[in-house]
Amino acid sequence: MSAAVKLDSPSSSELLRQFGERLACVRRARGLTAQRFSRELGISRTTLGAAERGEPAVTMGTYMRILAQLGMAADVALLAAQTENSASIVRRHQRFAHEVERGQRHPQTLFALPAELVARTELEFPENAFGEPQPW
């Protein structure tokens, strides 16, 4: 794992941090210790810790292994199923990043999914999969 990976926007860093935090919450909610879970995944505790902190040097493959082991791989399918073309996705993400940087959008709102995508998606999450509700 490379130690010098940097993201080019604060909003990207915040999203990745929140993603890692949610992975850790799900793991803990299932009663799995970091040591046991990393052993099940075949990765080091250091790598698992980096993923749960949302460090950008963690590979997509490692994140996918964690999601699959937690039964959350379908979440990535939501992203892969987007029907927008890549140029419009890039423009939308750039717009969101600028809005966050100007204080016009809170980074946590970037997790919202389009209503039409949610309407045709069926996902089941275990109770408290993301930990206790937060006051934001």
Side-chain angles (χ1 to χ4, degrees), residues 1 20 23-24 27 33-39 41 43-54 58 62-63 66:
M1 185 170 59
L23 293 176
R27 173 185 57 78
T33 65
Q35 184 173 5
R36 177 178 165 202
F37 192 55
S38 62
R39 190 173 45 241
L41 288 166
I43 62 175
S44 70
R45 272 185 52 207
T46 303
T47 299
L48 177 61
E52 290 181 346
R53 288 188 301 277
V58 176
T62 298
Y63 279 117
I66 293 168

Side-chain angles (χ1 to χ4, degrees), residues 17-98:
R17 185 197 65 74
Q18 289 178 19
F19 176 66
E21 187 177 296
R22 288 183 176 158
L23 293 176
C25 285
V26 172
R27 173 185 57 78
R28 287 191 297 268
R30 295 190 182 168
L32 296 168
T33 65
Q35 184 173 5
R36 177 178 165 202
F37 192 55
S38 62
R39 190 173 45 241
E40 289 175 4
L41 288 166
I43 62 175
S44 70
R45 272 185 52 207
T46 303
T47 299
L48 177 61
E52 290 181 346
R53 288 188 301 277
E55 293 183 10
V58 176
T59 67
M60 233 4 237
T62 298
Y63 279 117
M64 287 301 301
R65 287 169 66 186
I66 293 168
L67 287 166
Q69 189 73 13
L70 292 172
M72 299 170 61
D75 292 358
V76 177
L78 285 173
L79 297 173
Q82 297 263 343
T83 57
E84 296 177 82
N85 66 41
S86 59
S88 69
I89 292 171
V90 168
R91 284 191 303 274
R92 180 167 42 92
H93 286 212
Q94 288 171 338
R95 187 181 76 245
F96 287 169
H98 291 301

